[in-house]
Structure formats: structure tokens, C-alpha cells
Amino acid sequence: MEQILAMTKPSPSATALLACICLLAFISPAVHAEDPYLFFTWKITYGTLSPLGVPQQVILINDQFPGPNINSSSNNNVVINVFNNIDEPFLFTWNGIQQRKNSWQDGMPGTNCPIPPGKNFTYHFQVKDQIGSFFYFPSTGMQRAVGGFGGLRINSRLLIPVPFDPPADDYTVLIGDWYTKSHKVMASTLDAGQNIGNPNGVLINGKTGKDASGKDDQPMFTMEAGKTYRYRICNVGLKLALNFRIQSHVMKLVEMDGSHTVQNEYDSLDVHVGQCLSVLVTADKTPGDYYMATSARFTKYSRNATGIIRYAGSTTPPSSDIPAAPIGWAWSLNQWRSFRWNLTASAARPNPQGSYHYGGINITRTIKLLSSVGLVDGKRRYAINGVSHDNPTTPLKLAEYFEIADKVFQYNIISDDPAPEAMNAIKIAPNVIKATFRDYIEIILQNPERSIQCYHLDGYSFFPLGMGHGKWNPARRSTYNLLDTVSRHTIQVYPRSWTAIALTFDNAGVWNLRSEMWERHYLGQQVYVSVLSPVRSLRDEYNMPDNALLCGAVVGLPLPPPYVI
């Protein structure tokens, strides 16, 4: 017996191992697995397609046009290895994805070195609780004009219910204007000081809806009678605001740019460049085929596209009676005023402080941004507060990180309240505003021109407080919606009008505030906002990733000390 006991007595090492196992068992409920990963490999190539019946060069992703959908859920890690197989440098930006603490992945020329031809780069970012509809596109030059774009959706985790029942299916609808010119011709035209003219047409998911003989294309989507479907509609174009509608069906608006809305019903919706929205559509009509239609708004010329939605089993063609788009921008402004945030939705709260109570936050700074157009050395340029942005060879973010910003650009060369005479002469230079970390700032977007404009801010969602005709002044604050405006990342400014937005700049990094009209953006109507944490801390911002591409003046420089906790 003693021999048996001796043989079964645990050794000191076994005792230690047993103690570790017991400790792990004790703490296991508090240990969380890392958030799931989604891996993609994308090959960027040219191809020849005829979206408007004219053969032209387009940008393909894995031979697809439009590009593949990214179907993610909140907190997923998205890893995309991009192989640039075209003859130009290339970047992707992720329109509306906030990239919290991580402007390294934003994919704009002011934050990232482009991927050289024949090389690859792996984006790695985490989508947070921005439950909704977004898209991606190429941000270099005029490449966006010829493809490389696709949908990006963030679904809710099971712990965060959405304020509607799961739809029978979920469809992405990418609408946008289209040119038959190549992106290189468009860029050289703009570089020569000329404009690129009006778009040649409009597409829905890369198609006009008709073949060369005028016959309808095959249905894009199918619905079963009695079921409800989600349509995510994004305007991925360059210039035109578009109206979207579905023949004989009402659309229940449920989400815009990642924010749930009060669920009003609409016969048609204006979708401005860079914006996304989601609607629920119930197949409650007589089974048959029905047109989706999208049309140019605020233009003297007509541009339209259609696509067919088919009830399952239908052999009935769609009616030729397609409802017309509304006329005038007053209708559009009134529709915008009808949009309301769903304050009862169980979803992540936007900043600041995870609260809906943005109306009670004190404004610490007001910045007025006034657009203008003029000639510099005989060539057309667009500007904000008299400065037309020009990207330096060293991205702004890299210059800051390597502490050589003073050698690359100058902060705050524009005034928060520009004098009228500042608009008379346009200066070409990097346009960078410095914002104090966590300040709540009001930005006035003033449009003195006769055409509609649209602005987007990377890294954030903001509160569109108000819009109105004429020039903004402090008395306009009495018209602000301080309760339930829909938080979003892209907003329109109507002709000769103003739009006021506000947000807390609590996401450290360098972020692009730009015109989404890409001709304007290309010719300088953009500004970068530098948001620096007062401490180099991982609490506020991630370190530069190990695989970051380096270019310009930072090549060969020693790495700065890493951020610490």
C-alpha cells in the first residue's frame, strides 16, 4: 500500500500544473476570445466593359464590377490583402468607417502612402458598433470614376437588437453617375484647367437596366409575396444627387449612414453623393415585375437608370409608367427635415460620451468653411476659405508621427471666420486644421454657389444641426434641431445655402473633410483635421502598423518611440 501511495503522490511540477489548471478554470468566465476575423484577398486589375454601351477601361476587384460586398458584424476584424496590378499607385478608403484610434487604415493620400504598381498592402481594421450601410472606393486621383467601389455592411451582434424584424433578404444597391471617359483622361483634363463636363449616364449596380437594343436586363433582385426585404442604397457617384424609388411600393426608412431612424415611409428618397441609407420594402402588391428607378436631381439635363425587382414566379413585365422624380431642392430640404433619429433603438451610442444629449454640450469653437472656385495660373481650382488643398509627397499623418510636420506643411493657414477678401485669391497648399482633442466644435458649411454640394468627414459621425437658405449667422442657431437629428458622416449643402454640423473631436488622427463631388475634391476642395492626443498613449491612438508603407521625407528616418499605455 505504501508503494502504491508513493507512486500516486504528485510531483512538485505536477502540483504546479494542477494549480494552473484550477486557476484557469476559475478565471475562464472572465476571459473573452478575440473578436472574429474576416480575411479577403483582392486583386486590382483593369478590364474592358460597356456600362453605357461604349467599351471603356474600368477597375475590377477580383474581376468584379462593382467590387465584392464586405458583409461584417460589429467588432469584426477586417483584413484585406490588396494586390495592385494596375499601372498607377492605388489606395482604398472606407467611406463612413470611423477607424477609431486608427487613421493609419483610412486610406486617403493625406494619411497613407499609396500601394505602388505591382505591390501589395494589407489593410487591417476593426468595424465597431456602426450598425448600418457603407461603401469603399479608390481614393487616388480620379480612379473612383471607373470602378473599384463596392458595398460594406456592418450587421448587429446578437447582443444588440435592431429596431425591426430580420428581413427575408438583404440587398445592396449602388447608384451613381457615370462617365465614358477614362479616369486618366479626366485627370489630365482637370490638370489642364478644364472641367470634365456632365456625366454620360447613371448606373444601378454597374448597369443602366437596358441592353443595347433597349430591352430590359434580367431582374436584379427577387422578392416573395408577403415578405419584407432590406435595400441598402448608396450613392457612389462623382457629382449627381440622385432620387431613388420603387414602382408602386413604399419604402420604410430604417437607417442612414450607420444610424437608425424613425421609421417613416417614403415614395422616393434623395440620396446625395457619398450617402447611404436602408429601407424596408414589403412585397405586398400584385405579383409581377417592378422597376427600381434612379434619376438625377438639381440638373437641367436628364440622367436615369432602372433595374427590375421580380416577384418569385412572375412572368408579368413591369409597367412602363415609372413615377417621375420630384422637382426642386425645396422638396429635398423638407424631406431632410423629416428625418429623425430613433432614440429608442438598442444600439451603440455615438460620441460624445456615448450620449444622445448632444444639444446640451457647450460649443467650444465655431469654424466657418466657405467654398470658392477660381483660377490659379489660368487653371481652375476649388478652395475652402481661400486655400486649395494640395497633397504633399509625404502624407500628413506620417509627417506628424515622425515629428517633421514643420518641414511638410503648416497648420491653420485658414481662418475660422474667413474675411470676404480672403476668397478673392486662391492659394494652393496643404490645408490642415488643428483641433483640440475632445473639443466639441461647430462647423458651418457655407455654399455661395448655384449648385448643390456635399461634404464628408472621415473618422467621425457628426450631428447635422440645421440647414437654411442664404448666409449663416449666429441667430440661425435658434433653428437647430438639438434633440433628434440623425448622426451621419456625409451631408448636403443646398445652393446658396448653409449647413451646420457639430461633433466632439475625440478620435485621434488626421482626418479628411472633403467635397464628395470628386472633381471638386481633386482640384482642392478639401481640408484635413489633425486631432492630436496630449499624450502619446495607446489609450487614444494605435501605433503605426509594422507593415505601413513609407514614402516622401520619412523614408530612412528612425522610428519614433512607440505609444505606451
Side-chain angles (χ1 to χ4, degrees):
M1 180 67 69
E2 290 178 358
Q3 185 180 12
I4 296 173
L5 288 174
M7 292 176 62
T8 58
K9 183 178 179 179
S11 66
S13 60
T15 301
L17 177 61
L18 182 62
C20 289
I21 293 172
C22 293
L23 178 61
L24 287 172
F26 176 76
I27 66 174
S28 62
V31 176
H32 300 280
E34 191 173 5
D35 291 308
Y37 277 73
L38 301 177
F39 292 94
F40 303 90
T41 298
W42 286 359
K43 296 181 180 179
I44 311 304
T45 59
Y46 290 131
T48 301
L49 296 175
S50 305
L52 293 179
V54 179
Q56 65 182 113
Q57 187 182 75
V58 300
I59 292 177
L60 306 175
I61 304 174
N62 295 349
D63 295 325
Q64 297 179 49
F65 170 77
N69 265 318
I70 298 176
N71 189 19
S72 66
S73 295
S74 54
N75 283 4
N76 281 174
N77 292 283
V78 180
V79 181
I80 307 175
N81 192 1
V82 177
F83 288 82
N84 178 14
N85 294 330
I86 64 174
D87 59 355
E88 295 180 320
F90 191 87
L91 279 172
F92 275 121
T93 192
W94 319 94
N95 204 63
I97 304 302
Q98 292 182 15
Q99 308 288 6
R100 301 295 299 176
K101 305 194 295 185
N102 198 17
S103 65
W104 302 110
Q105 306 297 325
D106 194 44
M108 292 299 297
T111 54
N112 298 99
C113 300
I115 307 169
K119 302 295 183 180
N120 71 299
F121 174 76
T122 300
Y123 291 91
H124 180 185
F125 56 90
Q126 187 176 37
V127 294
K128 298 294 187 179
D129 287 329
Q130 296 176 255
I131 301 165
S133 310
F134 309 91
F135 67 96
Y136 60 85
F137 66 89
S139 62
T140 305
M142 291 297 291
Q143 292 169 351
R144 176 178 177 172
V146 293
F149 49 75
L152 195 168
R153 64 181 63 165
I154 304 178
N155 302 301
S156 172
R157 292 174 291 164
L158 294 178
L159 296 177
I160 305 177
V162 296
F164 49 86
D165 293 333
D169 211 336
D170 195 326
Y171 297 132
T172 295
V173 185
L174 303 179
I175 59 177
D177 51 38
W178 190 259
Y179 290 77
T180 55
K181 302 171 185 175
S182 77
H183 69 287
K184 293 179 182 179
V185 168
M186 295 171 75
S188 62
T189 299
L190 294 173
D191 291 340
Q194 304 169 22
N195 66 61
I196 57 176
N198 298 322
N200 299 102
V202 172
L203 304 179
I204 301 177
N205 287 355
K207 300 179 181 297
T208 63
K210 306 285 186 181
D211 64 17
S213 67
K215 183 180 178 181
D216 284 330
D217 288 336
Q218 290 298 307
M220 286 189 183
F221 307 114
T222 300
M223 300 195 297
E224 293 185 20
K227 294 185 177 181
T228 298
Y229 295 79
R230 182 174 185 170
Y231 290 81
R232 301 173 186 261
I233 306 147
C234 296
N235 187 335
V236 299
L238 302 184
K239 186 172 185 176
L240 297 180
L242 298 172
N243 182 266
F244 181 84
R245 52 214 182 272
I246 299 177
Q247 194 176 44
S248 302
H249 290 73
V250 297
M251 300 177 290
K252 181 181 289 186
L253 182 66
V254 295
E255 175 259 329
M256 305 175 76
D257 291 349
S259 293
H260 291 127
T261 63
V262 171
Q263 296 178 13
N264 296 325
E265 293 185 337
Y266 299 89
D267 293 322
S268 71
L269 286 159
D270 279 351
V271 189
H272 301 272
V273 180
Q275 294 180 348
C276 291
L277 52 84
S278 288
V279 297
L280 297 180
V281 177
T282 299
D284 57 0
K285 304 303 179 186
T286 302
D289 290 359
Y290 294 87
Y291 282 123
M292 298 179 293
T294 188
S295 306
R297 295 280 277 123
F298 322 117
T299 64
K300 295 180 179 179
Y301 53 88
S302 175
R303 298 289 185 270
N304 304 283
T306 58
I308 290 178
I309 299 173
R310 171 165 290 174
Y311 278 54
S314 165
T315 57
T316 304
S319 167
S320 60
D321 185 17
I322 302 175
I327 297 173
W329 64 265
W331 181 96
S332 185
L333 174 59
N334 287 331
Q335 183 175 80
W336 175 80
R337 287 172 174 159
S338 74
F339 300 149
R340 290 290 184 267
W341 211 0
N342 188 337
L343 301 183
T344 63
S346 298
R349 304 296 188 259
N351 289 313
Q353 293 86 45
S355 170
Y356 282 125
H357 303 297
Y358 64 92
I361 304 171
N362 292 327
I363 295 171
T364 57
R365 180 182 176 187
T366 297
I367 303 173
K368 299 177 185 177
L369 299 181
L370 177 64
S371 67
S372 61
V373 58
L375 299 179
V376 178
D377 297 329
K379 297 180 180 180
R380 179 190 298 264
R381 296 290 298 192
Y382 293 96
I384 293 178
N385 291 7
V387 174
S388 183
H389 177 78
D390 184 46
N391 287 310
T393 56
T394 305
L396 308 169
K397 177 60 185 172
L398 283 177
E400 277 193 345
Y401 189 75
F402 281 85
E403 299 180 338
I404 60 166
D406 59 329
K407 298 178 180 179
V408 175
F409 65 91
Q410 181 181 347
Y411 292 107
N412 300 325
I413 62 174
I414 61 174
S415 168
D416 285 1
D417 189 7
E421 56 268 22
M423 304 298 106
N424 294 335
I426 291 176
K427 174 183 178 181
I428 298 177
N431 200 356
V432 186
I433 296 172
K434 182 178 284 189
T436 302
F437 191 53
R438 294 200 176 103
D439 268 7
Y440 187 69
I441 297 177
E442 175 188 48
I443 299 176
I444 311 302
L445 304 169
Q446 186 74 54
N447 177 12
E449 301 177 48
R450 298 172 61 183
S451 59
I452 192 168
Q453 298 197 39
C454 206
Y455 285 89
H456 169 88
L457 176 61
D458 284 342
Y460 292 91
S461 287
F462 49 72
F463 303 105
L465 302 176
M467 297 181 184
H469 187 60
K471 293 183 179 180
W472 181 90
N473 61 64
R476 301 296 187 115
R477 293 189 179 119
S478 65
T479 68
Y480 285 179
N481 177 354
L482 299 178
L483 176 64
D484 59 358
T485 191
V486 182
S487 175
R488 57 193 318 186
H489 55 71
T490 304
I491 197 66
Q492 69 272 19
V493 190
Y494 291 103
R496 294 177 176 172
S497 299
W498 58 270
T499 293
I501 65 174
L503 67 152
T504 296
F505 280 93
D506 60 353
N507 190 15
V510 175
W511 306 104
N512 190 222
L513 195 167
R514 61 177 176 266
S515 171
E516 280 285 62
M517 278 70 169
W518 214 245
E519 175 180 359
R520 290 175 169 271
H521 172 270
Y522 183 88
L523 292 179
Q525 192 172 323
Q526 54 175 311
V527 62
Y528 280 86
V529 183
S530 170
V531 185
L532 287 171
S533 168
V535 293
R536 293 174 65 92
S537 171
L538 291 174
R539 178 196 63 191
D540 300 328
E541 187 174 14
Y542 298 143
N543 283 307
M544 183 181 74
D546 293 339
N547 70 331
L549 299 174
L550 301 181
C551 56
V554 303
V555 174
L557 294 181
L559 289 175
Y563 295 162
V564 296
I565 296 175

